[in-house]
Amino acid sequence: MSQNKRAELIRKALLLFYRNGFHATGMDLVAKETGVSKTSIYKHFRTKEELVLAVLRLRDENFRNWLYRRMEELAETPGDQLLAMFDALGEWFVEDGFKGCMFIKASAEFQEREHAINVQAYEHKRLLVDHFEKLARDAGLSDPHRVARQLLILKEGAIVVAAMSHAEASAAEAKATAITLLRS
Amino acid sequence: MSQNKRAELIRKALLLFYRNGFHATGMDLVAKETGVSKTSIYKHFRTKEELVLAVLRLRDENFRNWLYRRMEELAETPGDQLLAMFDALGEWFVEDGFKGCMFIKASAEFQEREHAINVQAYEHKRLLVDHFEKLARDAGLSDPHRVARQLLILKEGAIVVAAMSHAEASAAEAKATAITLLRS
DNA sequence: GATTTCATTAACAGATCGGTCCACATTCAT
DNA sequence: ATGAATGTGGACCGATCTGTTAATGAAATC
């Protein structure tokens, strides 16, 4: 299997897991939908868990790249970029395939805290917070670490509310909260 | 099976589903751990889904009762009670069995938005928002509905962050955000 | 062109899934 | 005591789960 086909397999598996959930998506379905036989899949991933981890790595890369780029496109200064994150999220919420945060869902399905999947999901959030903190520091805010974590809470909350109730408004509400936060 | 045993079954099933997840907890395990045979379980619940729904009803009742009572115990005025919610959440986060929000996890595992389980999870959040809104109105805040939804976002975000990283600090961070919000 | 190598596939394990059937134990009215 | 009714548990059902094996096809090397 070429590197291309491997990447394509991960890409398609991501869509399946995102749409149907991890436990609810069997490897037979993955094989059928990707057109790659189970034997070939298991040649490259020793277990389903390894495939899930590869999918989460791809998701982390895609999501952070998209979010960071969109934040830069929507605002100039670091402070405005932090606020623009919620505009970017609002765009995501109204996309057709939006189904909430894949890492929250992964964390919900694999509960043991030591589990590699949970560790990776947490790593994704840590990278986000680090980025927020850098922006907050560049914006000259007094407690960048604290602000970054508060913004993470607002982001996660907005995603959860949007996923459960199709309430695109949650992005705007979280942004309004962030504005009062950054002005305080 | 008496009404008592039925309630006991739901109570024990709740712990299993909360700890292990819904799909990952089979009915055989439920039978084994509750000491009730599958035949008896299926006499009272036609499907696993019905049992899950009963569990979520119990969880909704328990959680809201606990939260509302704790908010009242911790603060006198409606405005302070809204803030005290985050102190109550902080107490929850450090409890031994804390594993995040059961409704977020249910919603993550049963994705179809029309699914009865999702509808019920959303109903839980709606009842919370209604309560927040009532308190916000009693506190004389200018836009109670908006504030209530912003507080919901903060609550969900704090829970998600706490569940993924054992960061009890998230309750305090969310509270600090809420304070700036209510003062603005 | 023969042979080695590798990838792919269908079929198959063994376990577990949600859900059912049946034989039996218990209770109750007669 | 006896018959009907009810509740219970363990064995069982087909489907599906993750993961493997054996046979096949194609491509590459000599």
Side-chain angles (χ1 to χ4, degrees):
Chain A
M1 187 188 297
S2 70
Q3 213 60 17
N4 263 349
K5 290 190 73 173
R6 183 192 161 100
E8 181 77 359
L9 166 65
I10 297 175
R11 205 181 56 80
K12 285 184 177 165
L14 189 154
L15 290 177
L16 287 173
F17 287 141
Y18 185 55
R19 277 203 282 263
N20 308 335
F22 297 96
H23 284 122
T25 304
M27 293 299 276
D28 287 306
L29 182 64
V30 173
K32 187 177 147 204
E33 291 292 316
T34 60
V36 181
S37 74
K38 276 207 294 179
T39 313
S40 298
I41 295 177
Y42 275 101
K43 187 138 292 183
H44 291 269
F45 304 97
R46 279 165 45 219
T47 63
K48 181 183 184 179
E49 177 182 325
E50 279 196 12
L51 175 60
V52 171
L53 287 171
V55 163
L56 289 182
R57 271 191 294 274
L58 175 64
R59 181 62 169 189
D60 170 60
E61 187 186 323
N62 286 353
F63 183 82
R64 284 191 301 110
N65 280 349
W66 167 80
L67 182 63
Y68 296 169
R69 187 184 330 118
R70 203 76 194 96
M71 286 165 71
E72 288 172 8
E73 287 169 359
L74 289 171
E76 306 252 320
T77 70
D80 286 346
Q81 281 176 20
L82 285 174
L83 292 178
M85 169 173 65
F86 297 98
D87 297 321
L89 291 177
E91 293 171 4
W92 177 34
F93 295 167
V94 297
E95 277 178 23
D96 256 8
F98 173 71
K99 289 251 185 187
C101 171
M102 193 163 199
F103 297 94
I104 293 177
K105 299 203 297 203
S107 185
E109 289 205 46
F110 304 88
Q111 312 231 25
E112 314 87 46
R113 199 165 305 268
E114 310 303 325
H115 199 302
I117 288 172
N118 242 312
V119 171
Q120 190 149 334
Y122 175 58
E123 175 69 4
H124 171 72
K125 302 300 179 192
R126 196 187 61 75
L127 290 168
L128 284 172
V129 162
D130 285 355
H131 188 70
F132 299 165
E133 185 171 342
K134 183 179 172 303
L135 286 177
R137 186 169 290 113
D138 291 349
L141 297 176
S142 63
D143 192 345
H145 183 69
R146 181 191 178 88
V147 168
R149 290 188 45 87
Q150 289 174 306
L151 287 173
L152 180 70
I153 289 172
L154 282 171
K155 168 189 165 287
E156 303 306 332
I159 293 174
V160 165
V161 171
M164 286 190 63
S165 58
H166 253 183
E168 304 83 37
S170 70
E173 288 154 355
K175 184 183 185 183
T177 311
I179 290 175
T180 71
L181 184 66
L182 266 59
R183 285 204 184 132
S184 75
Chain B
M1 184 188 298
S2 71
Q3 211 60 18
N4 263 349
K5 290 189 74 172
R6 182 192 161 100
E8 182 78 357
L9 166 65
I10 297 175
R11 205 181 57 79
K12 286 184 177 165
L14 189 153
L15 290 177
L16 288 173
F17 287 140
Y18 185 55
R19 277 202 283 263
N20 308 335
F22 297 95
H23 283 123
T25 305
M27 293 299 276
D28 287 305
L29 182 65
V30 172
K32 187 177 146 204
E33 292 292 316
T34 60
V36 180
S37 74
K38 279 208 291 179
T39 312
S40 297
I41 296 177
Y42 276 99
K43 187 137 290 184
H44 291 270
F45 304 97
R46 279 164 46 219
T47 63
K48 181 182 184 180
E49 179 182 323
E50 278 195 13
L51 175 58
V52 171
L53 286 171
V55 163
L56 290 182
R57 270 191 295 272
L58 176 63
R59 180 64 168 188
D60 170 59
E61 187 185 325
N62 286 354
F63 183 82
R64 284 192 300 113
N65 280 349
W66 167 82
L67 183 63
Y68 296 169
R69 187 184 331 116
R70 202 78 193 95
M71 286 165 70
E72 287 172 10
E73 287 169 0
L74 290 171
E76 305 254 321
T77 70
D80 286 345
Q81 282 177 18
L82 285 174
L83 292 177
M85 168 173 66
F86 297 99
D87 298 321
L89 291 177
E91 293 171 3
W92 178 34
F93 294 168
V94 297
E95 279 177 23
D96 256 7
F98 173 70
K99 289 250 184 189
C101 172
M102 192 164 198
F103 297 94
I104 292 177
K105 300 204 295 206
S107 185
E109 288 205 46
F110 304 88
Q111 310 233 27
E112 315 87 44
R113 200 165 303 268
E114 310 304 324
H115 199 302
I117 287 173
N118 241 311
V119 171
Q120 190 149 333
Y122 175 57
E123 175 69 2
H124 171 72
K125 303 300 179 190
R126 195 187 62 75
L127 290 168
L128 284 171
V129 162
D130 285 354
H131 188 71
F132 300 165
E133 185 172 341
K134 182 178 173 306
L135 287 176
R137 184 169 290 114
D138 291 349
L141 296 176
S142 64
D143 193 344
H145 182 68
R146 181 190 177 89
V147 168
R149 290 188 45 89
Q150 288 174 307
L151 288 172
L152 180 70
I153 289 172
L154 282 170
K155 169 189 165 285
E156 303 305 334
I159 294 173
V160 165
V161 171
M164 287 191 62
S165 56
H166 252 182
E168 304 84 35
S170 70
E173 289 155 354
K175 184 182 185 182
T177 311
I179 290 175
T180 72
L181 184 66
L182 266 59
R183 285 204 184 134
S184 73

